[in-house]
């Protein structure tokens, strides 16, 4: 998701999205360790998604949301 799409989510939806993405990242790390992971770019994508979500959450906490 793009940051613009994440900003449109409510706080609860954003929290659920964060939990889903962290679970996905955990599963991807597990697949890497077992040698099953086929697309290593998914790791990078999941990490960036988490960073985007954290950025949006920090913007909301600080009150610096730009729309």
């Amino acid at each position: 998701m793009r940051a613009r799409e994440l900003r449109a989510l409510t706080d609860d939806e954003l929290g659920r999205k964060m939990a889903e993405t962290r679970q996905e990242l955990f599963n991807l790390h597990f697949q890497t360790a077992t040698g099953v992971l086929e697309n290593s770019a998914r790791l990078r994508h999941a990490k960036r998604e988490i960073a985007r979500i954290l950025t949006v959450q920090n913007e909301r906490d600080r009150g610096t949301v730009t729309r």
Side-chain angles (χ1 to χ4, degrees):
M1 292 186 103
R2 294 180 172 256
R4 180 179 300 144
E5 296 166 343
L6 291 172
R7 286 187 184 102
L9 298 176
T10 65
D11 289 340
D12 291 335
E13 292 171 334
L14 204 57
R16 273 188 247 116
K17 182 71 174 165
M18 174 63 92
E20 292 171 7
T21 308
R22 284 193 168 157
Q23 182 64 42
E24 178 187 3
L25 183 61
F26 173 79
N27 292 335
L28 290 171
H29 279 297
F30 192 84
Q31 290 175 11
T32 301
T34 58
V36 179
L37 184 64
E38 294 178 9
N39 185 1
S40 60
R42 289 177 56 204
L43 276 168
R44 186 173 181 184
H45 176 75
K47 288 179 186 180
R48 286 185 176 192
E49 185 78 20
I50 290 171
R52 283 188 192 102
I53 293 169
L54 288 173
T55 299
V56 171
Q57 287 177 337
N58 285 334
E59 285 175 349
R60 288 181 182 180
D61 290 344
R62 295 172 189 248
T64 58
V65 177
T66 57
R67 293 184 185 223

